[in-house]
Amino acid sequence: MPGLKRKDILGLRDMTTDEIDLILNTAETLKDIATRSIKKVPTLRGKAYCTLFYENSTRTAKSFELAGKYLGADVINVSASSSSVKKGETLLDTARNLEAMGLDALVMRHPAGGAPHMLARHLSCSVINAGDGMHEHPTQGLLDMLTIRQQKGSLKGLKVAIVGDIMHSRVARSNIYGLTKYGAEVWLAGPATLLPTGFEEFGVKVTTRVEEALEGADVVNVLRLQLERMEKSLFPTVAEYHKFWGVTPARLKLAKANALLMHPGPMNRGVEISSHIADGNQSVILEQVTNGVAVRMAILYLLMGGGEAA
Amino acid sequence: MTILIRNGRLIDPANHIDQLADIFIKNGRIAAIGEGLKDNGVDKVINARGKVVAPGFIDIHVHLRVPGQEYKEDIRTGTAAAVRGGFVGIVCMPNTNPVIDNVPLVSYVVNLAREQGLCKVWPTGAITKGSKGEQLAEIGDMKEAGIVAITDDGRPVTSSETMRQAMIYAKQFDLMVMDHAEEKAISAGGAMHYGKVSSMLGIKGIPSTSEEVQVARDVLLSLETGAHVHIQHISSRQSVALVRWGKQMGARVTCEATPHHFTLTDQIVADLNYSTDTKMNPPVREEADRLAIIAGIADGTIDIIATDHAPHHIDEKAVEYQDAAFGITGLETSVGLTVTKLVKPGIISLAQMVTMMSTRPAELVGLKAPALVEGAEADITIIDVDKSWTVKAEEMASKSLNSPFIGWELTGAPHATIVGGKLRMLEQQVIGE
Amino acid sequence: MGDPKAMLMDGNQMNRALSRIAHEVIERNKGIEHVALVGIRRRGVPLAHRLAEKLKEFEGRDVPVGTLDITLYRDDLTELASVPLVQKSAVTFKLPGTCVILVDDVLYTGRTVRAALDALLDIGRPSVIQLAVLIDRGHRELPIRADYVGKNVPTSKKEMVEVHLSDIDGEDFVALYDLP
């Protein structure tokens, strides 16, 4: 019987291609539910999960919420601003209390890398990482891979350029771990102060010249620039960033004519990406969002669908 | 109490001793050394056949957490961990609450240790008042009260000029300045070594340069002032090179390495899946750093082994990695790791181990080194160098269990610890009053 | 699986049973103008296609054929240690105004058909739903009956009916086995 032989989804680094294939294939099937007129199946009826977000999020939190609702699960949403975190409760206590209410899964976003790993060790319910600090954002990585796979058929041999603040990006890391498993050629481009150390050892190419990364690329994934990085002297001004690393129509022409343009959102238009191309015909940015719901449905189904894990 | 240690291999390189003999202990001193000593009327006979009898081990880098943080460790549990680990004496750090920066606090620790301690305890004092890095603490006064060195461990002195004046001032009292070398502006916010593993795990890194720039500063200041500076828990290859250069230049610089820095690399954080028992400062770094530390131990650049025993309550560790307290316990695994990682592979001899864990640590802090000679105070560590054992949390004597080595199989264990003629540990069992 | 304890149908008998069902469909629906077939994964799908061929042979017109995966509607998911693979349903024709004939290989407890009814109704609202099965082996747990049956076979609950189809298994036959 197929199925994920794991309790938690923490990151793509430790997942096999068989597991990723299962998730992506299931997502492709479940995507139909989200696009038909009756967007609900009873599969997870009687199951409950919680989205616990210690950072603001619209896209990911709502996508997880809808994904569960489409599958018939009950979902509660907790955000740090309204929770007992403000009263000084530890993360572990908050999570244990939520679990004690009978949850089958906990979907968490947290600013500390490794926070969901800690919870996974201490909780018996499934823990799904919805972004941990600058570590991983596995569902974003999966939805990006699903989008690329749908458009390009396969990931093998594709040149994928990831552009922007790689150092602080969990999206970049999950993409790197996922894509390299399938033999994609991953390029990272950004200012030297925003490039992580040592990534060449994971089989990716790293450059400070965005043109080099875009040249002949099949996919261009543009990351959001966190403007607060300026205060820590990691780059001087938005204008200089745009001049050297912004993905513009002219730079996108360096990529293949049928290259896909992706962005995990929310976009800073005119900073890391130009509006003309963000809304242009190479953009699959909204397709990413649609696939995000499907990927999250797949994960919720695969983790919560069965009975007691074998 | 009289003790007879039978048939041990006595190793004390400072006194040119490496021989099979018995040791008879009476009135707290070594009364006789020789073959076939009589056991008539002896209170306790320890069979040391096949074991190494060494001058007592001293750890000059221990966080005893007294005063103020007795929920992590106290005098009793800290010294129990020490004797269980084979140490007859420990030097404790002043980054307590409040900071040990004055005579009453020094006296408090000295007196409490005399009443409750299972081994000897020598405090250190802060370099500056409150370890704030501004005004010098009453260093001379504290020396009279019993400190054996000054240190800013945990809260490094930022200003090079303050450090320079502290060295000049401490030198006249013949006190060593121990430095936790860390440029906080570089390391701020970091939680593990800055490198490919921190990149992979998405944890803010602590670059090696945060230590190296301070080591370079300290070496240069020592050259200028002639003061004795001691680099604590050296962690990077460039730091080792800087100390080596400083020694060649004639600087009075010494340094220590911890068992975790010569055993682990940053990969442990990934391997233990963000376990906060892998979080310490300075962090364990890369294989090249670990090998440079081992080379430094082998060629004498690194003078001694010290543990940086840093107990923390579980509540301070069962949190997000970036929020967890820095530090791991070390007293009870130091001998095992040193034998397993340095002696058994032939990097250092048993004699060098004794020098690095007993004689030299004592000398550095100006104490009379334990010795296996008649008339000397009976501070003795007996080691079973061939014993294989497993590190078990439930057997630890420390109040805290924050060790990444729990579950490890080690070779070489402390067999007995004799402090001032009193048997304080035998076969891993701590012996109280 | 061990050897079959009884052969229930060979290839020829299966073919004749499907022909008969096709005639019954035509007769009961007065032609096949508004008829569509929906096979329930997995063995209902090739059976639906075979029925469609028969209908075309007899009536000279194509009927739409869809497939239905009932995994998401199963009522026993929580009984399973690991969830089954979800596969696509493909019902591309309009359901309102259509008589949908669900096709499956074996009718047993009725739970699969219940799930299929729910799955189909979530896709759209057919005017009529009928049920065609190759084998009805009894032991219903829900008030469900088939409109068209290839063969009624009395069985015990300790037995298992396996339909083998050339499209999937290389050969057409139906056999009875003892449960392991």
Side-chain angles (χ1 to χ4, degrees):
Chain A
M1 180 146 317
L4 285 176
K5 303 275 181 284
R6 56 168 68 236
K7 176 172 85 73
D8 314 293
I9 300 280
L10 302 176
L12 297 190
R13 183 161 49 88
D14 63 346
M15 289 180 85
T16 64
T17 51
D18 281 349
E19 291 177 302
I20 295 172
D21 282 341
L22 175 63
I23 293 170
L24 297 185
N25 293 340
T26 305
E28 266 189 274
T29 305
L30 295 177
K31 194 176 173 184
D32 291 352
I33 293 166
T35 51
R36 70 187 197 190
S37 58
I38 297 177
K39 297 178 182 56
K40 201 172 193 82
V41 290
T43 318
L44 296 183
R45 196 179 53 184
K47 302 279 184 172
Y49 68 103
C50 174
T51 65
L52 175 61
F53 273 60
Y54 286 85
E55 284 180 347
N56 291 332
S57 161
T58 306
R59 208 170 317 255
T60 307
K62 292 303 155 195
S63 178
F64 263 113
E65 184 178 348
L66 263 184
K69 287 181 169 170
Y70 289 167
L71 289 172
D74 288 307
V75 54
I76 56 170
N77 303 295
V78 178
S79 75
S81 56
S82 66
S83 72
S84 44
V85 183
K86 291 223 155 162
K87 298 171 194 162
E89 188 173 56
T90 66
L91 170 62
L92 196 50
D93 281 339
T94 303
R96 279 182 170 147
N97 277 278
L98 289 168
E99 186 184 35
M101 296 178 193
L103 295 179
D104 298 290
L106 185 66
V107 176
M108 182 174 73
R109 168 164 294 184
H110 196 282
H117 303 66
M118 178 188 69
L119 290 193
R121 274 198 294 272
H122 288 98
L123 302 184
S124 52
C125 73
S126 292
V127 175
I128 300 169
N129 182 6
D132 62 326
M134 46 187 197
H135 179 223
E136 281 223 49
H137 190 350
T139 56
Q140 179 75 41
L142 290 165
L143 73 89
D144 287 346
M145 290 164 75
L146 180 62
T147 307
I148 298 169
R149 203 179 80 164
Q150 282 173 345
Q151 302 283 334
K152 299 287 178 189
S154 154
L155 302 168
K156 191 169 175 55
L158 295 182
K159 178 174 179 180
V160 180
I162 304 176
V163 182
D165 179 0
I166 311 291
M167 181 186 284
H168 300 95
S169 176
R170 51 194 172 217
V171 177
R173 282 175 180 74
S174 286
N175 266 278
I176 291 163
Y177 299 140
L179 290 167
T180 52
K181 282 186 210 292
Y182 286 84
E185 179 190 339
V186 179
W187 282 72
L188 310 176
T193 43
L194 295 176
L195 290 173
T197 184
F199 257 47
E200 296 85 348
E201 293 183 43
F202 300 112
V204 300
K205 306 265 183 18
V206 183
T207 177
T208 55
R209 287 187 58 248
V210 67
E211 292 81 3
E212 193 184 0
L214 293 190
E215 183 78 46
D218 298 282
V219 178
V220 179
N221 200 343
V222 188
L223 302 174
R224 172 177 170 79
L225 185 69
Q226 306 280 344
L227 298 180
E228 58 268 26
R229 306 286 179 219
M230 264 189 296
E231 294 155 21
K232 296 192 172 155
S233 49
L234 295 176
F235 69 97
T237 60
V238 164
E240 177 155 323
Y241 183 90
H242 183 70
K243 179 178 172 191
F244 287 97
W245 297 283
V247 177
T248 58
R251 287 205 173 106
L252 189 58
K253 283 205 176 71
L254 296 169
K256 285 189 181 148
N258 62 351
L260 305 178
L261 181 68
M262 307 173 75
H263 191 296
M267 287 185 275
N268 295 304
R269 289 171 179 265
V271 182
E272 72 265 9
I273 191 167
S274 300
S275 279
H276 303 86
I277 52 174
D279 304 326
N281 55 11
Q282 286 176 268
S283 169
V284 289
I285 293 169
L286 294 175
E287 186 61 22
Q288 288 174 268
V289 178
T290 307
N291 282 334
V293 177
V295 159
R296 285 159 190 136
M297 287 171 76
I299 284 174
L300 292 173
Y301 167 70
L302 292 168
L303 289 187
M304 294 202 292
E308 292 299 306
Chain B
M1 178 169 192
T2 52
I3 302 171
L4 181 64
I5 304 169
R6 269 229 188 279
N7 295 317
R9 178 182 168 193
L10 278 50
I11 299 182
D12 179 4
N15 292 293
H16 313 290
I17 294 168
D18 186 347
Q19 65 181 85
L20 293 174
D22 302 342
I23 293 183
F24 179 59
I25 296 161
K26 187 178 179 185
N27 296 331
R29 297 203 167 262
I30 296 177
I33 297 178
E35 290 177 41
L37 297 184
K38 296 268 183 299
D39 58 9
N40 297 350
V42 171
D43 296 326
K44 178 76 190 176
V45 177
I46 298 170
N47 179 7
R49 187 178 296 280
K51 301 184 174 67
V52 168
V53 179
F57 288 1
I58 290 170
D59 184 352
I60 70 165
H61 194 153
V62 172
H63 294 272
L64 213 39
R65 305 299 189 203
V66 177
Q69 295 176 319
E70 289 83 357
Y71 65 96
K72 301 181 194 226
E73 194 81 282
D74 58 33
I75 297 273
R76 189 72 181 186
T77 60
T79 56
V83 296
R84 189 167 174 274
F87 294 100
V88 301
I90 54 178
V91 172
C92 63
M93 295 297 112
N95 62 331
T96 47
N97 185 19
V99 169
I100 300 174
D101 63 356
N102 59 55
V103 168
L105 285 173
V106 173
S107 302
Y108 173 76
V109 174
V110 168
N111 292 332
L112 207 61
R114 196 172 291 144
E115 289 166 22
Q116 301 178 2
L118 296 171
C119 70
K120 297 174 179 179
V121 175
W122 301 278
T124 54
I127 296 174
T128 56
K129 282 185 184 159
S131 282
K132 290 189 177 128
E134 293 158 6
Q135 232 181 320
L136 288 183
E138 289 176 330
I139 293 167
D141 243 4
M142 288 195 291
K143 169 145 193 194
E144 284 191 355
I147 65 165
V148 294
I150 54 170
T151 175
D152 56 0
D153 190 34
R155 290 183 206 169
V157 174
T158 308
S159 159
S160 299
E161 174 58 6
T162 305
M163 193 60 160
R164 182 169 166 274
Q165 297 300 345
M167 285 191 190
I168 294 169
Y169 194 81
K171 186 189 168 196
Q172 66 188 339
F173 290 104
D174 208 18
L175 278 173
M176 172 169 90
V177 180
M178 304 168 108
D179 190 26
H180 167 120
E182 180 184 358
E183 171 56 79
K184 289 277 190 187
I186 296 177
S187 63
M192 67 175 289
H193 171 63
Y194 173 82
K196 71 166 182 181
V197 181
S198 70
S199 290
M200 179 173 87
L201 295 177
I203 293 180
K204 189 163 181 351
I206 300 173
S208 296
T209 46
S210 68
E211 174 177 283
E212 291 152 3
V213 295
Q214 297 293 63
V215 172
R217 176 194 77 171
D218 291 350
V219 167
L220 293 170
L221 290 176
S222 170
L223 269 175
E224 189 223 7
T225 61
H228 179 187
V229 66
H230 177 78
I231 306 299
Q232 298 180 291
H233 44 46
I234 199 160
S235 73
S236 96
R237 52 190 186 265
Q238 311 295 11
S239 296
V240 175
L242 285 162
V243 169
R244 188 176 288 126
W245 176 80
K247 288 187 168 184
Q248 282 163 4
M249 294 293 288
R252 284 183 71 198
V253 57
T254 56
C255 76
E256 72 194 27
T258 70
H260 51 276
H261 286 107
F262 66 64
T263 301
L264 302 174
T265 65
D266 54 355
Q267 183 61 33
I268 191 74
V269 187
D271 290 348
L272 296 190
N273 205 11
Y274 294 91
S275 163
T276 55
D277 290 339
T278 64
K279 183 176 175 181
M280 72 290 282
N281 189 15
V284 288
R285 301 193 188 272
E286 297 166 18
E287 183 64 3
D289 297 299
R290 192 182 76 84
L291 293 175
I293 289 167
I294 286 176
I297 288 170
D299 73 10
T301 302
I302 293 168
D303 300 82
I304 64 158
I305 292 160
T307 66
D308 190 11
H309 177 80
H312 286 293
H313 193 271
I314 181 136
D315 289 349
E316 295 161 314
K317 284 291 193 180
V319 295
E320 298 86 315
Y321 198 89
Q322 66 183 30
D323 299 334
F326 283 106
I328 63 171
T329 59
L331 284 167
E332 293 170 78
T333 48
S334 183
V335 165
L337 288 165
T338 303
V339 172
T340 305
K341 294 292 174 179
L342 299 179
V343 176
K344 289 291 175 188
I347 292 156
I348 58 171
S349 64
L350 281 167
Q352 283 171 294
M353 174 179 173
V354 171
T355 303
M356 297 186 79
M357 298 188 76
S358 173
T359 317
R360 279 295 279 160
E363 288 171 359
L364 291 189
V365 290
L367 296 167
K368 187 169 166 51
L372 299 183
V373 295
E374 289 176 2
E377 192 168 4
D379 291 330
I380 295 170
T381 300
I382 304 176
I383 308 163
D384 187 344
V385 286
D386 298 316
K387 183 185 167 112
S388 293
W389 60 292
T390 304
V391 183
K392 290 186 179 139
E394 62 272 23
E395 293 177 357
M396 294 247 177
S398 172
K399 199 176 272 190
S400 296
L401 300 172
N402 48 310
S403 167
F405 299 114
I406 288 169
W408 279 43
E409 301 277 337
L410 298 177
T411 304
H415 178 72
T417 310
I418 298 167
V419 182
K422 292 193 177 108
L423 181 62
R424 289 305 192 193
M425 184 275 283
L426 185 64
E427 291 172 10
Q428 315 261 305
Q429 298 299 311
V430 176
I431 301 164
E433 293 303 334
Chain C
M1 196 184 312
D3 293 328
K5 63 191 284 191
M7 290 296 285
L8 303 178
M9 245 184 207
D10 63 17
N12 286 331
Q13 290 167 319
M14 188 185 290
N15 191 39
R16 282 198 294 277
L18 288 169
S19 295
R20 181 169 51 73
I21 290 173
H23 284 299
E24 287 174 17
V25 167
I26 295 162
E27 187 178 339
R28 178 153 175 182
N29 294 292
K30 301 180 177 63
I32 54 170
E33 198 180 342
H34 302 292
V35 166
L37 301 174
V38 171
I40 300 173
R41 279 188 194 275
R42 184 172 179 221
R43 286 181 176 70
V45 177
L47 288 174
H49 283 284
R50 290 187 195 189
L51 264 183
E53 282 168 29
K54 301 274 183 203
L55 291 172
K56 176 158 187 174
E57 191 185 319
F58 302 151
E59 290 291 289
R61 65 188 299 162
D62 286 315
V63 296
V65 180
T67 63
L68 203 56
D69 183 277
I70 56 121
T71 307
L72 298 171
Y73 293 84
R74 287 173 65 155
D75 62 4
D76 60 349
L77 282 173
T78 54
E79 313 292 314
L80 307 174
S82 163
V83 296
L85 195 63
V86 190
Q87 294 193 300
K88 276 197 186 270
S89 293
V91 178
T92 51
F93 44 86
K94 290 277 176 225
L95 292 177
T98 303
C99 168
V100 171
I101 300 171
L102 286 171
V103 183
D104 204 0
D105 55 350
V106 179
L107 178 58
Y108 181 26
T109 61
R111 287 177 190 272
T112 298
V113 175
R114 193 284 304 161
L117 287 168
D118 285 348
L120 189 63
L121 289 168
D122 276 359
I123 296 172
R125 186 177 182 279
S127 54
V128 178
I129 303 177
Q130 299 171 349
L131 175 63
V133 297
L134 191 59
I135 304 288
D136 182 346
R137 60 170 288 193
H139 303 291
R140 214 74 78 239
E141 293 171 4
L142 297 172
I144 280 170
R145 62 162 184 82
D147 300 275
Y148 315 99
V149 178
K151 183 173 187 175
N152 284 295
V153 182
T155 60
S156 120
K157 284 191 169 189
K158 289 177 183 155
E159 292 167 330
M160 181 167 60
V161 175
E162 285 279 323
V163 173
H164 297 254
L165 297 174
S166 56
D167 320 53
I168 295 170
D169 312 295
E171 202 183 342
D172 284 341
F173 68 91
V174 182
L176 188 68
Y177 300 83
D178 275 324
L179 273 177

